Amino acid sequence: MLKTETPSAEHAALDQYSASELVEVLIDDQFNAVKAVRAAAPCIAAALAAALPRMQAGGRLVYVGAGTSGRLGTLDSVELYPTYSWPQERALALLAGGDSAMFAAVEGAEDDTAQGAADLEAVGPTPRDVVLLLAASGATPYVLGALHAARKAGALTIGFANNPDAPVTREAEIGITLDTGSEVISGSTRLKAGTAQKIALNTFSSALMVRLNKVYGNLMVDLKATNAKLVLRAVRLTMLATGADEEAARDALTQCDFSVKVAIVALNKKTSIDAARALLESAQGSVRKALAA
């Protein structure tokens, strides 16, 4: 039996716990998700190193999964644009059962190996692409179908599973095992198995964006100011990075369509918006390199 499906020996009387005991047990078990991701840190670092040159060459991130795993992949993909201005067409998510499965379970979709391959082939994978294959069990047919199609196309494949020696981690070029063990509620991989996947994906994509010059120091300087909250965040980030007051920061941002990077370079270098853009372009988008030029 898969470890994720094995009943927990610790909580056989879970349904008899008091409210406080029940809540504490469910929370405490989540700490094991962090431990599982930490143990996989070397593999996540290897995935980062392999993915970076492909992204620098114009490749795409393609997330593939079913159920909870697929929804977590979709979540990671859609958040890259507002957080880091990562082009939406370069972060795709394939979910067993199609887009509607994000909101309502499509029973049986995860068992269709051929559909997984067809969905991956439909996005036209290339050797520059990075395909992230997510399966708590590590053996979801839909995900394995996509994995085989991705490998055939020459894309980099990174497999995530919550069981050791799983097909998705064995057959991907880089396997990341998040060994979370049995769940408090037997087989419910939306618990710590899902938490571990969320942490691992966040870690991988955030580290990748740092390497792609989307961060200056530890400031998120390549966000899209698409709402009032993000406009205020852009102003605060510009002020933090430059020491400018709010009026100066907002004025610079207004001139460059709220590009925090451009505003930082323009204010710190005391140069025009056009010159700041040119410096950033020659520095491959690195604020640090543009300021040193």
Side-chain angles (χ1 to χ4, degrees), residues 8-26 184-185:
S8 170
E10 296 182 62
H11 304 290
L14 187 72
D15 60 340
Q16 298 177 32
Y17 288 6
S18 68
S20 60
E21 288 175 314
L22 183 57
V23 169
E24 286 174 7
V25 162
L26 288 167
V184 170
I185 298 174

Side-chain angles (χ1 to χ4, degrees), residues 196-279:
Q197 289 185 4
K198 178 71 166 66
I199 296 170
L201 287 173
N202 254 297
T203 300
F204 170 79
S205 61
S206 297
L208 187 59
M209 294 299 125
V210 172
R211 286 287 178 261
L212 290 168
N213 299 319
K214 303 292 186 178
V215 174
Y216 171 52
N218 66 345
L219 302 179
M220 188 178 78
V221 295
D222 214 3
L223 79 163
K224 284 291 183 187
T226 53
N227 58 39
K229 176 188 72 177
L230 292 175
V231 166
L232 289 174
R233 185 175 296 166
V235 172
R236 287 197 299 270
L237 288 167
T238 303
M239 292 170 66
L240 282 169
T242 64
D245 61 24
E246 182 176 352
E247 183 180 359
R250 192 178 286 273
D251 181 60
L253 286 165
T254 301
Q255 294 181 55
C256 61
D257 196 27
F258 272 77
S259 170
V260 177
K261 281 184 170 184
V262 173
I264 290 171
V265 174
L267 288 167
N268 278 341
K269 297 282 283 186
K270 296 181 173 54
T271 190
S272 70
I273 295 299
D274 288 342
R277 282 200 182 98
L279 284 168

Side-chain angles (χ1 to χ4, degrees), residues 15-139:
D15 60 340
Q16 298 177 32
Y17 288 6
S18 68
S20 60
E21 288 175 314
L22 183 57
V23 169
E24 286 174 7
V25 162
L26 288 167
I27 292 171
D28 287 349
D29 198 46
Q30 295 289 336
F31 286 104
N32 291 311
V34 178
K35 292 177 183 176
V37 180
R38 181 171 285 282
C43 294
I44 298 173
L48 169 64
L52 180 59
R54 290 168 169 84
M55 295 301 99
Q56 290 170 328
R60 300 171 296 175
L61 294 170
V62 183
Y63 299 73
V64 183
T68 297
S69 298
R71 294 182 190 103
L72 289 169
T74 301
L75 180 63
D76 203 70
S77 73
V78 300
E79 289 182 341
L80 294 179
Y81 173 73
T83 310
Y84 300 110
S85 296
W86 186 250
Q88 291 168 311
E89 66 273 14
R90 294 181 65 190
L92 310 179
L94 304 179
L95 179 58
D99 291 346
S100 63
M102 189 72 187
F103 306 101
V106 179
E107 300 300 333
E110 69 178 59
D111 298 325
D112 196 336
T113 306
Q115 190 62 53
D119 286 353
L120 195 286
E121 289 166 355
V123 304
T126 76
R128 295 182 301 175
D129 294 333
V130 176
V131 182
L132 308 169
L133 302 128
L134 306 153
S137 69

Side-chain angles (χ1 to χ4, degrees), residues 64-66 69-70 133-140 143-144 159-163 166 168 197:
V64 183
S69 298
L133 302 128
L134 306 153
S137 69
T140 305
V143 175
L144 292 176
F160 295 78
N162 294 89
N163 287 290
V168 75
Q197 289 185 4

